[in-house]
Amino acid sequence: MRQSRKKWERKREEQRNKVIALLFIVMMVIFFVVNIATADREFSAKENRALEQRPKLTISGIESGRWMKQYESYVSDQFAGRDFWVALKSRIDLIAGKRKANGVFKGKDHYLLEDIAKPDEEQLKANLDAMKKFQETYKDIPMYMMLVPNAANIESDKLPYCAVTEDQDKQFQKIKASLGTAFQWVNVEDTLKKHRAEEIYYHTDHHWTTLGAYYGYQALAAAMKLDTSKAPAMKSYAVTNSFNGTLSATSGYETDYNEPIYIYAPDDLKTAPQVVVNNVNEKKKTATLYDTSKLKEKDKYALFLGGNYPVLDIRTTADTTDRLLLVKDSYANSVIPFLTEYYREIIVVDPRYYYDDIREVMKKNKITSVLFLYNGNTFVQDNSISGVLQND
């Protein structure tokens, strides 16, 4: 009798396992079909950021491994129901009383601080090697590197008690040592640390504020020996007081906290350089560096340049023949308005979306200087720079 019961229980367990396996397979098939049927999105309103798009398949991308890394990011970003799963995880973290959710610390004084990223050492080396090789190709053109620390570095006093992060200062020292004399290092770290008591980073967003970008511009002007004596006097103006940024959307913290976004404008608009911004890929030209329509949307930081694009060609009426190639992430967007006084043309390239030959840009646009401007977290995890600089 006991053996019959054990046999029956074993058979029941096998049936239950088969049902679970079948349900798992059905769910996987459903997820697969839904993902195939769901159109790719360009932007996540919930996370307040651009989503990875399907990468272009190239031989160089496969050989370097860049394509696979980008494709992994693409699959993760375009997974069906992503906003729901992100929101669910954030809610669970909040209920559990955690001070960190989805890589974001809930700090003091309503500050949200993105955790310091751990470098992708292999890709970082590939990027730095590509940058040095690029500089060797254009030895007569001065090249600069400005790596901006993240808020968790500069404003570490805002981190919650016992929070542990990567040593970003040490990361920067290694990157600077690797680049050597190939690039002139723009020391923005010390500048920002002097102003850490000011509002140089947003409370709810991972970007620096326009004030932080202004201090970054000052460090950049000193390193590049820009003649700031001719620059027009500028004032700051709040263009919105209802900004709630990426880190709030990602973590679920401070969702009701609103803060301002400022722009700096010349006192005398008549004497300031005029600009024409050519969005090359979209074949669209504008006469302003600001897209005020973005202030009505969730991603209000896209006010600067309208967001991120593969390449922008900014022409100015500045009294100079200098032309700058700016290779960047979104931290540069709020710096560019300060630079138009010093260049006749600024070519802005975002390697995350750029697939053309950058050597053609150097030749066609007669570039006189090159600037790489990134925040630390983006740079140490970037999987695009080496592919762009080695585009075959």
Side-chain angles (χ1 to χ4, degrees):
M1 184 74 174
R2 185 177 298 174
Q3 289 181 347
S4 298
R5 181 173 180 81
K6 286 183 177 179
K7 185 176 180 180
W8 176 79
E9 289 178 348
R10 187 165 55 251
K11 185 175 182 181
R12 185 180 179 185
E13 180 71 20
E14 290 175 353
Q15 290 176 339
R16 183 162 53 241
N17 289 340
K18 288 180 180 178
V19 171
I20 292 173
L22 181 61
L23 287 174
F24 177 77
I25 292 172
V26 170
M27 288 179 64
M28 291 298 293
V29 170
I30 291 174
F31 274 121
F32 176 77
V33 172
V34 170
N35 274 288
I36 291 295
T38 303
D40 290 349
R41 298 183 301 157
E42 294 184 357
F43 183 79
S44 169
K46 179 65 179 176
E47 295 178 82
N48 194 19
R49 70 176 181 89
L51 298 177
E52 189 78 25
Q53 300 301 298
R54 185 186 297 273
K56 183 179 179 181
L57 185 61
T58 63
I59 294 176
S60 61
I62 294 175
E63 290 177 344
S64 65
R66 175 190 178 210
W67 184 84
M68 283 301 299
K69 291 181 179 180
Q70 289 182 322
Y71 194 81
E72 287 177 7
S73 298
Y74 161 74
V75 172
S76 175
D77 275 6
Q78 299 298 342
F79 192 81
R82 176 182 172 82
D83 286 351
F84 169 77
W85 299 113
V86 170
L88 179 62
K89 184 179 183 302
S90 297
R91 184 64 63 92
I92 292 173
D93 286 343
L94 284 169
I95 293 174
K98 293 183 179 180
R99 303 292 289 181
K100 183 180 180 182
N102 294 328
V104 179
F105 291 105
K106 181 173 172 54
K108 303 171 186 176
D109 302 328
H110 300 282
Y111 268 97
L112 304 181
L113 304 104
E114 184 179 33
D115 197 3
I116 302 299
K118 186 175 182 179
D120 181 334
E121 296 292 353
E122 183 180 350
Q123 185 61 57
L124 179 59
K125 183 180 184 303
N127 288 343
L128 295 173
D129 288 346
M131 289 173 65
K132 288 183 284 187
K133 186 176 180 181
F134 181 68
Q135 190 275 337
E136 290 175 2
T137 304
Y138 303 97
K139 290 184 177 180
D140 296 332
I141 298 177
M143 298 194 182
Y144 303 86
M145 177 65 171
M146 187 160 96
L147 207 53
V148 184
N150 292 87
N153 176 341
I154 300 298
E155 300 187 342
S156 57
D157 59 308
K158 303 295 185 185
L159 288 167
Y161 180 68
C162 289
V164 178
T165 66
E166 292 285 321
D167 188 339
Q168 194 172 54
D169 287 339
K170 188 175 181 180
Q171 293 177 9
F172 282 19
Q173 290 167 9
K174 289 179 64 176
I175 293 170
K176 181 180 179 181
S178 177
L179 289 175
T181 59
F183 284 75
Q184 182 172 334
W185 188 268
V186 181
N187 185 1
V188 69
E189 308 101 289
D190 290 347
T191 301
L192 293 177
K193 286 176 181 178
K194 291 177 182 177
H195 296 279
R196 68 173 64 186
E198 302 174 47
E199 297 282 326
I200 57 175
Y201 290 95
Y202 291 110
H203 289 245
T204 64
D205 195 73
H206 68 285
H207 292 102
W208 55 3
T209 63
T210 318
L211 177 61
Y214 175 71
Y215 290 134
Y217 148 71
Q218 289 184 323
L220 188 62
M224 301 179 76
K225 295 180 173 57
L226 302 178
D227 184 4
T228 58
S229 65
K230 298 179 180 179
M234 305 185 82
K235 287 185 178 179
S236 61
Y237 300 89
V239 291
T240 181
N241 289 302
S242 59
F243 179 46
N244 185 266
T246 304
L247 299 184
S248 177
T250 301
S251 66
Y253 300 137
E254 303 292 352
T255 54
D256 295 325
Y257 188 91
N258 292 319
E259 54 189 320
I261 293 179
Y262 289 87
I263 63 170
Y264 280 65
D267 283 346
D268 187 356
L269 293 174
K270 294 180 180 179
T271 60
Q274 301 301 302
V275 300
V276 174
V277 181
N278 180 16
N279 188 325
V280 176
N281 290 72
E282 295 191 0
K283 296 183 173 62
K284 180 181 177 182
K285 292 184 179 181
T286 61
T288 177
L289 297 165
Y290 304 102
D291 184 349
T292 55
S293 69
K294 299 297 182 181
L295 296 177
K296 301 176 182 179
E297 301 177 7
K298 175 65 176 175
D299 184 22
K300 290 180 173 58
Y301 185 81
L303 162 77
F304 302 100
L305 302 181
N308 298 305
Y309 299 96
V311 59
L312 297 176
D313 185 347
I314 303 173
R315 304 287 179 98
T316 83
T317 58
D319 185 18
T320 177
T321 58
D322 291 341
R323 289 173 166 82
L324 175 70
L325 169 63
L326 176 53
V327 183
K328 62 88 184 183
D329 69 1
S330 56
Y331 262 57
N333 295 6
S334 53
V335 179
I336 290 173
F338 299 112
L339 298 178
T340 55
E341 177 72 27
Y342 308 100
Y343 297 97
R344 175 59 60 88
E345 184 176 16
I346 303 175
I347 304 296
V348 184
V349 171
D350 192 326
R352 294 171 295 181
Y353 315 108
Y354 185 80
Y355 297 101
D356 294 323
D357 192 343
I358 202 166
R359 292 168 297 188
E360 284 299 312
V361 172
M362 296 293 291
K363 179 180 178 181
K364 178 181 177 182
N365 299 92
K366 299 179 181 179
I367 299 299
T368 59
S369 57
V370 177
L371 169 64
F372 284 75
L373 198 169
Y374 281 79
N375 80 81
N377 277 2
T378 300
F379 188 78
V380 300
Q381 294 188 315
D382 179 87
N383 59 12
S384 307
I385 293 174
S386 61
V388 166
L389 298 184
Q390 297 173 348
N391 202 329
D392 295 323

